[in-house]
Amino acid sequence: MGAQAEEYQTLHMNEVLSSEAEKSTTLTDEEAQPNLEEVEKIIGYSFNNKVLLKEAFTHSSFVSTECSASSYERLEYVGDAVLNLLFSREQYNLYPGLPPGRLTRLRAANVDTEKLARVAIKHGLHRYLRHKKPLLEEQIREFTRAISHYPLHSNGLVDAPKNLADIVESTIGAVFMDCNSIDTVWEAFKDLLEPIINPGTIKTHPVTQLYEICQKNNLKLRFVDLWEESQTVEVFINNEIVGRGTYGLRKEVAHNRAAKDALDNIWKVLGEEKESAQDQDQEANCQSEELPEMKNLNI
C-alpha cells in the first residue's frame, strides 16, 4: 500500500471512530431496550435466544437500578475464554514457526483492553450498552481522540475504558452460548476484530524497550513515582532526567508515557545522533521478538 493510500485509510478510520464516539452511549428510559436487530446486523449473527444478547449489553450499574435482568459479567467471562482459544488456534495454524512465548505475546496484543475497546468503537457497539455511568461518555470521547494518534495500538500510552472491551467479550460469549460452536463465533467476529496484529506489526512495550536499551548500554535506569503528588512519573538515566509522563486517572499510563518520553530523548544520554539512537530502538524492538517470555514491566 502506498503512503497516500495509508494516509487516506488512517484519516478515514479516524473519521469513522470520531463519528461513532459522538453518538450517545447513555440509553434513556424509552431506549432502555437495545435494538437487538441492529446489533445482530453489526455482528452478522441472528440469535435464537435474544435474552443472551440483551444480557451481553447490560452493565451491572443498570441491573441494580432499572431491571431484574443479569449483567454481562458472566458472558464476559465466557467470551474471554472463547476469544483466547480462538486466537490460540488461529495463530498456531498461521505461524507454525513461532515459539510459545511469541505466540502468547501476539495473542495478548490482540485481546487486551485497548484492542477490544477499539473494536467496540469502530463498530458502534457502545451505543447499545445499558448503563448508569455518567462519566463513560466523556471517557469514550477522550479514548477516541487519543487513539487517532495510534492507528493500530498505543502500547499502554492510552487509557482504554474497560467497559468497551467487556461488551466485545460478552457479545462473543453470548454468541457462543447461543450456538455452542467456536467455528460459528470465529466466522461472526474475525472481520470485526480487524486489523489483527501480526508478527510484522506488533511493537515492544515502551517500558520493556527502555530497560533493554539501558541494559545493553550499561546505563542506570530509575523511575521516580510522583503520581500521588502531581500525577507524574519521571525517568532518570545515569541520574539525568530524560523522560516525564503525566496522567491523572491511572498511574500505569503515566509510567508508560514516561518510558516513551525517555525513549524519544535517550539519544541525548547516549551521546549519539538522534537517528542512531532510533536505530537502537528498532534493534531492541526486534530483539524483543526473539525473547520467548518477555513481559511488560509496569507498576
Side-chain angles (χ1 to χ4, degrees), residues 73 179 221 283:
E73 292 175 354
C179 68
L221 173 63
E283 182 180 349

Side-chain angles (χ1 to χ4, degrees), residues 17-29 31-32 34 57-59 61-62 117 120-121 124-144 161 163-164 167:
L17 293 175
S18 298
S19 175
E20 291 295 345
E22 288 301 319
K23 299 176 182 178
S24 176
T25 64
T26 303
L27 293 171
T28 64
D29 292 339
E31 299 170 323
F57 285 87
T58 303
H59 187 265
S61 64
F62 193 89
I121 292 296
L125 294 176
H126 61 289
R127 295 184 287 118
Y128 304 95
L129 175 61
R130 300 190 297 174
H131 69 91
K132 292 293 180 179
K133 298 188 68 176
L135 298 180
L136 183 56
E137 287 190 47
E138 179 54 36
Q139 290 172 349
I140 289 175
R141 282 191 287 269
E142 175 59 31
F143 173 66
T144 305
N163 297 132
L164 296 181
I167 59 175

Side-chain angles (χ1 to χ4, degrees), residues 31-43:
E31 299 170 323
Q33 298 299 326
N35 190 325
L36 301 180
E37 291 184 357
E38 289 184 8
V39 177
E40 288 176 324
K41 184 176 180 180
I42 291 172
I43 65 177

